[in-house]
Amino acid sequence: MRIGVLGGDGFVGWPTALHLSARGHEVVIVDSLVRRQIDGELDVQSLTPITSPKERRDAWAELSGRHIHLERIDLAKDYGELKAWLAAFRPDALIHLAEQRAAPYSMKSARQKRYTVDNNVNATHNLLAALVELGLDAHLVHLGTMGVYGYSTIGAPIPEGYQPIKIDLPNGDVAAQDILYPANPGSIYHMTKCLDQILFAYYAKNDGLRITDLHQGIVWGTNTAETGRDERLINRFDYDGDYGTVLNRLLIQGAIGHPLTVHGTGGQTRAFIHLQDSVRCIELALQNPPERGERVKIFNQMTETHRVRDLAAMVSRLTGAPIEYVTNPRKEAAENDLVVKNDQFLALGLQPTTLSAGLLTEIVEVARRYGHRVDARHVPCVSAWTREIAERLAAERRPHLVKAAS
Ligand code: USQ
């Protein structure tokens, strides 16, 4: 297949591009490289020393004999360039990962909120509009999030996208419908993925676009079979308070002897998936597209659920690092259960890589190898969800500032 990996320079995009290239697909990465610019803006670098876009693609060509071309296009802004590239490449499929994906970054200030909405919504909409304008029948596979559902559960498992409902009619009859599961975003970032769902539903209905939306949980791990082949192919590994995700952060904190930062009581239960399974799921979704005219196909892309404090206890046992329960900078339920259906990927043959101690140790080893690159100033999560929380955090930090000043 001819496949465009949009956002193919990022944490999931790069391993996805390599995985698909290794399986013989013709892969083009489309990326604005903005994620590398945000590293500069936040003054923090990936724990792992990622090479330049050119160097990593040259290394892949040398090792595999396969070329991955890069198109530097900002999907949200460069509509003309996007259209020209689509018209020339005529992809069979597009993997859309070209969105700002960090919840804490999206909550930093009005500037990042506006950037996240402008970027994510326009990128998705430009892509859909261009496919229709060009009359292209490429299968669009979008990386969405479990966060569209919110995380609380009323005891029933969260279905894969659609909730069957019954509506009482005035004449006493009952009408049955499938609706998108009620959107319940917990951050501006998650909100943009809810908006994406509406765009997809509309374009599938109105224009018959073939769309798959993958509602992914929190990714852990850093390497896949392909990125592990050579140091020059190394994947990015975020540990900072904005882009680092919880399990990877805890593992790095443990590796460098930093206290494990648990927000609140750590009673938040979340869905998780290993990076290797993430790229495998994307490949399975590609192999099983919806028909033209079919509703958006939605998969829950996760393999297990865990409570944050249980993860911290596991990492503490593994590394000896103490656990620190800190004021939660987010506005989220302190405790929640989470039961999620993921039958579709299991039926397609996904064999989950679960949190075995072996793999956790492997990540701790990677973290120890590059631990000297950690800038401890960037370890805490400081992005507050509301003004009140920001004031509470500032009040807590004041004694330290006084101590430092005296
Ligand atoms: N948390 C801690 N300590 C930390 C960092 C986080 O207790 O040091 C807690 C958070 O308060 C939250 C939970 O861990 O309750 C998860 O936080 P996270 O940063 O790992 O995940 P999140 O912000 O939800 O976002 C990540 C990805 C996003 C993806 C999402 C999937 O950045 O792109 O969509 O996971 S999901 O969480 O299922 O919505």
Side-chain angles (χ1 to χ4, degrees):
M1 275 197 254
R2 281 192 309 280
I3 304 174
V5 180
L6 320 174
D9 191 49
F11 172 60
V12 178
W14 174 240
T16 299
L18 293 184
H19 184 80
L20 297 174
S21 175
R23 269 144 198 82
H25 298 291
E26 184 182 345
V27 174
V28 172
I29 288 176
V30 177
D31 203 298
S32 67
L33 305 183
V34 68
R35 183 64 192 88
R36 292 176 187 249
Q37 283 170 28
I38 294 177
D39 280 341
E41 175 195 329
L42 297 174
D43 192 26
V44 62
Q45 298 298 318
S46 159
L47 175 83
T48 46
I50 51 173
T51 53
S52 71
K54 182 171 185 319
E55 195 180 346
R56 43 168 49 172
R57 286 177 299 114
D58 286 350
W60 178 245
E62 182 191 311
L63 289 161
S64 69
R66 305 196 60 83
H67 292 272
I68 296 179
H69 186 67
L70 169 73
E71 289 285 339
R72 192 167 175 180
I73 301 174
D74 185 331
L75 261 59
K77 292 186 187 144
D78 308 331
Y79 184 71
E81 285 88 336
L82 170 64
K83 224 173 66 178
W85 171 71
L86 284 171
F89 184 56
R90 302 196 72 78
D92 300 305
L94 294 163
I95 322 286
H96 174 26
L97 313 105
E99 293 183 88
Q100 194 298 100
R101 67 100 183 136
Y105 182 82
S106 78
M107 301 301 288
K108 286 186 101 58
S109 75
R111 187 172 71 75
Q112 287 88 354
K113 288 180 186 182
R114 294 179 60 239
Y115 167 72
T116 302
V117 172
D118 289 349
N119 182 73
N120 293 4
V121 177
N122 281 321
T124 299
H125 188 255
N126 281 347
L127 197 52
L128 294 165
L131 289 175
V132 172
E133 192 180 350
L134 294 167
L136 282 181
D137 185 31
H139 173 207
L140 176 59
V141 178
H142 171 251
L143 198 69
T145 176
M146 284 295 304
V148 296
Y149 304 121
Y151 310 101
S152 61
T153 170
I154 45 169
I158 292 182
E160 303 206 57
Y162 297 99
Q163 176 68 43
I165 60 158
K166 294 210 164 81
I167 304 170
D168 292 329
L169 302 178
N171 67 2
D173 288 352
V174 175
Q177 260 190 27
D178 269 5
I179 58 166
L180 281 173
Y181 192 87
N184 186 13
S187 73
I188 294 286
Y189 152 71
H190 289 100
M191 184 187 79
T192 63
K193 299 271 176 169
C194 295
L195 298 172
D196 282 343
Q197 291 197 98
I198 310 282
L199 301 180
F200 294 141
Y202 175 76
Y203 274 90
K205 180 185 74 169
N206 195 65
D207 300 286
L209 292 190
R210 294 182 299 129
I211 303 171
T212 298
D213 203 358
L214 305 174
H215 290 176
Q216 182 163 254
I218 300 171
V219 179
W220 63 284
T222 177
N223 273 322
T224 58
E226 288 81 23
T227 66
R229 278 180 67 179
D230 189 289
E231 176 118 29
R232 292 167 295 169
L233 300 176
I234 204 163
N235 197 24
R236 65 178 305 129
F237 193 171
D238 299 308
Y239 67 88
D240 61 288
D242 288 316
Y243 274 88
T245 49
V246 67
L247 179 52
N248 276 0
R249 273 171 58 73
L250 294 174
L251 289 165
I252 292 173
Q253 291 169 353
I256 64 166
H258 189 285
L260 309 177
T261 56
V262 171
H263 294 166
T265 60
Q268 307 92 322
T269 306
R270 295 290 182 269
F272 289 84
I273 183 165
H274 188 271
L275 184 63
Q276 183 71 62
D277 288 351
S278 176
V279 299
R280 173 76 182 125
C281 284
I282 290 171
E283 185 188 8
L284 287 171
L286 276 176
Q287 291 163 351
N288 295 277
E291 299 290 332
R292 217 173 152 74
E294 199 179 323
R295 71 181 184 184
V296 176
K297 212 169 185 176
I298 302 178
F299 292 84
N300 288 340
Q301 187 159 308
M302 51 72 69
T303 54
E304 52 192 328
T305 60
H306 293 283
R307 211 170 277 271
V308 170
R309 62 171 170 261
D310 297 338
L311 294 177
M314 196 190 313
V315 176
S316 179
R317 277 196 301 276
L318 193 69
T319 63
I323 298 174
E324 193 178 344
Y325 292 90
V326 300
T327 300
N328 195 344
R330 304 184 183 208
K331 187 168 177 173
E332 61 185 358
E335 305 270 332
N336 71 283
D337 292 323
L338 185 63
V339 186
V340 180
K341 278 192 186 286
N342 65 343
D343 307 340
Q344 295 181 99
F345 274 134
L346 296 178
L348 290 175
L350 176 70
Q351 293 182 335
T353 310
T354 47
L355 242 77
S356 70
L359 270 179
L360 292 179
T361 309
E362 194 180 299
I363 299 166
V364 171
E365 275 161 18
V366 172
R368 287 207 173 112
R369 184 163 354 127
Y370 299 109
H372 60 279
R373 289 170 54 88
V374 171
D375 181 341
R377 290 173 308 153
H378 293 295
V379 171
C381 291
V382 293
S383 183
W385 257 231
T386 66
R387 194 186 293 266
E388 283 158 13
I389 298 174
E391 284 167 3
R392 207 178 312 146
L393 290 174
E396 280 178 11
R397 271 184 229 115
R398 214 163 284 138
H400 301 294
L401 292 178
V402 173
K403 227 184 270 167
S406 60

